[in-house]
Every structure is written in C-alpha cells, then in structure tokens.
Amino acid sequence: MNGLNRWLAENAIVVPTGPVLTEAAVALGIVLICLALGYAAGRALGPRVAQFWTRRVGGHAEGLGPRMGLIIRHLVAFLLLSIVFRSQHEWQTPASIVFGLALGYTAALAAVQVLRGLNLPRWMSWLIAGVLFVALLSNAVGGLDKITETLDMIGFNLGKHRFSLMALVTILVTFVALFAAFRLINRVLSHTIGQARSLDPTQKLLAQKLAAIAVIVVAFFFGIDLLGLDLTTFAVFSGAFGLAVGFGLQKTIGNLIAGIILLMDRSIKPGDIIVVGDSFGWVNKIGVRAVSVLTRDGKEHLIPNENLMTQEVENWSYSDRNVRVRIPVRVSYKSDLELAQALMMRAAVESPRTLDSPKPTVRLTAFADSAVEHDILVWISDPEGGVGSVHSDVLIRLWQLFKEHGIEIPLAQRDIHLHHATATEKASDDA
C-alpha cells in the first residue's frame, strides 16, 4: 500500500479524499434534480409552447413544433445547472467534471433538437453538438484555454493572416448558427406577413422575398463582424466577382430582378391564367429564378422570369377573370337560320360553365361557299378549367338539338359544270 501511494505521489496523481467525494456526490445529486426539473418543465410547458409556436409560424412549424417538449426539457436543465455551477466559485475537480458532463450533455441535445427541427443535415447538427459538449466540459474543468491554444497552433500563416484549426471551427460554428437563425427568422417573418390582412397575395409574396433577402444581408454582415474580418480584404475579389456576374451570372441576376419587378407591378400573380408561347396554364408559384405554370395536363412548366418581361404574355385574369370563348358553327343554306340560331343560343345557355351575364350571343359572320357561318360567343369565369371543355360541351348539345330539329351541318361541296363541244369547235380543234 505504501508503494502504491509513493507511485501516485511521484506521478502527481491525486486520489480524491472523503470531502472531495462528498462534494462530487452532492454535485451528482444536484445534476439529477436539475434533469428531473427539466423533464417536468418539458412535460408541462412543451405542449403549450408547441401550440403557441404553431399559431405564430403556421405551416412552417412542422420541424420545431413536435420537438418543443425536448427543447424546453434540455434548455431548462441547462439553465439550472449553469446557475448552480456558477453560484459556487470553487468546485473540486470531480464535482466540476460532473457538472461539465451534465452541461455539455444538455446543451448538445438541445442544439441537436433545434437544428434538426430547422431541417439542417444530421451530420451538421451532431458536429455542433460535439463542439458544444467538448467546449462546456473543458470550460468546467478549466482546460478550455489549453484546447484553444492547441487548436490555434495547428495551422499556418499566410501574410498577415493566421489559418488554423481553431479558425476553421469558429467559422463552422458561426456559419451554422447564422444559417439556423436565418431559417428561424425567415419562418416567423413568412408566417407573419402571410397573416397580414392588409396585403393581397402578390404583395405578401413580394414582402416575403424582400424580407428573406434582408435577413440574408444582415446575417452576412453580422457574421463578418463576429469573425472579425475586414471588408477591405474582399476588394481583391470584387473585380473578379463583378466580371463573373457580368458574364456567368448575368441570366441569374436578370431573372432575380425580373421576378421582383413582376411582383412589384403585379402584372402576373399566383393564380393568374397566362399564355406564354405554347404554354397555357395558371401561375402556381413565382420563384427567384422562374415562374411555375401548371397546365391542364398536370405538367409544370418553369418559365424564366426574364422571358415574361421580354416576351408577349396573355394574362386572362389580369384585371378580370371573365374570358370570352368563340365557337364557330356552320349550317346549310337549306336550313331555317332563325331556328338554327335559336338552337345555338339554347345550347350556349344550357352549358353549365357559361355565364348569364354577360349573356351568350350568336353572330352570323359570313355566307361561305357551302355554308352559312356563325360564331357562338360565351363567357366563362373559371379559365383555369380550360376553354376546350366549354367548346366541347356546347357543340355536343348543339349536335343533339340539330338532329332533333333537322338542321343540317353541310360538308364542303363544289359545283362542277361540264361543257359539251359543238361540231364546229371539234373541227377547229382537229385543224
């Protein structure tokens, strides 16, 4: 036994004595109490906070809402542990290790729940959790300075700047924290703007996009300030970046600006029925780069924003959703025109999608070679349903009415006159 004590003393290994072990046991008891209080707070406050968060963030709460109970549990335990640990200035090493393990554990789990609730990658969440655990445990036992010094030693100098493992960890943690904060603030702002009753859907979408851009700009400059970077260092790359924008990113920047202009002048809004070239459908979404147009076939056409600014666009619902549909009809010269026109009007009126006001009309347009041509003009208020179905429904009804009343729809015909040559004409031809 004396030999063991001598070996421990020679290697500077301190064996905990009775008071030290007692303090460690007290620290362990305090940790268990704090964890229990955190568990109770999560059970009691979690559902209420989740409901409040869902009301404030709406459909964007699918990530953080179900995790609110766990987040509150770990955060409350962490805060209680921090208060108790900081209230006593001198804890012995075993007690400090107990508190450090508990602080790192609760902070790491809270960070994982928050980051995963914001849909950050799993590896990123656990990496930040690991950094928090090591930092809090090292700080509790007084070894954080040694770790930072060691990480700072692993690196190299480039001019006046020092690139080290510590700088890499700092940049990574700052980036993840700002990215998570951006997503959280963007969700809250998007829901708040979406609930504003004084704005129409287009103004809400524009405000949401401008708010997102503003949050990105603020996060960028805030990150630069946190990392202590000098903005003048980016002056070297400004020329190259401007050249890249001028050539490589010209279309991207143009589409971004075109999208903002479309939202500002409200010429095209989500829900509008538009025709661009061969694409016909209703606007599903106006994105940063392109406008999503959903067709009647269920296909989604992505049209660059810039094309909508430079090409001719038909907007069927720009100022009024009522659209007039023209249906050509041909009847025989032998038919009773007044009866035929009355049947055309009846078929148009009985079609379910046609409007009573403006009421349908029938116009005689031409006396053609083989038929009398008419146009049935009907109005609809739901162009997103397409015009082909209205056209087909009216013609089917008209076909049945024409058959019942003996109105003939003529085929194309030509009159051929045969001329018989006389004897004199034959003699002249033979000569």
Side-chain angles (χ1 to χ4, degrees), residues 13 42 75 89 92 96 100 114 138 156 208 219 246 277 287-288 352 357-358 383 394:
I13 298 177
L75 285 180
H89 297 288
Q92 299 296 329
S96 298
V114 172
S138 303
F156 58 92
Q208 289 171 348
V288 175
S357 179
V394 172

Side-chain angles (χ1 to χ4, degrees), residues 338-390:
E338 293 184 358
L339 176 59
Q341 293 173 358
L343 295 177
M344 294 179 199
M345 178 65 73
R346 177 180 170 184
V349 171
E350 291 178 353
S351 183
R353 288 184 57 194
T354 60
L355 298 179
D356 296 332
S357 179
K359 66 179 181 179
T361 57
V362 176
R363 294 179 180 176
L364 193 154
T365 58
F367 293 107
D369 294 337
S370 57
V372 181
E373 297 182 348
H374 294 78
D375 278 345
I376 303 176
L377 304 176
V378 298
W379 290 84
I380 61 175
S381 61
D382 53 350
E384 65 274 6
V387 297
S389 60
V390 178

Side-chain angles (χ1 to χ4, degrees), residues 209-227:
K209 292 187 177 298
L210 293 179
I213 295 174
V215 172
I216 292 176
V217 173
V218 172
F220 172 76
F221 286 105
F222 191 68
I224 292 296
D225 183 67
L226 284 178
L227 296 175

Side-chain angles (χ1 to χ4, degrees), residues 71 106 281 296 323:
I71 293 173
T106 53
R296 290 282 296 167
V323 176

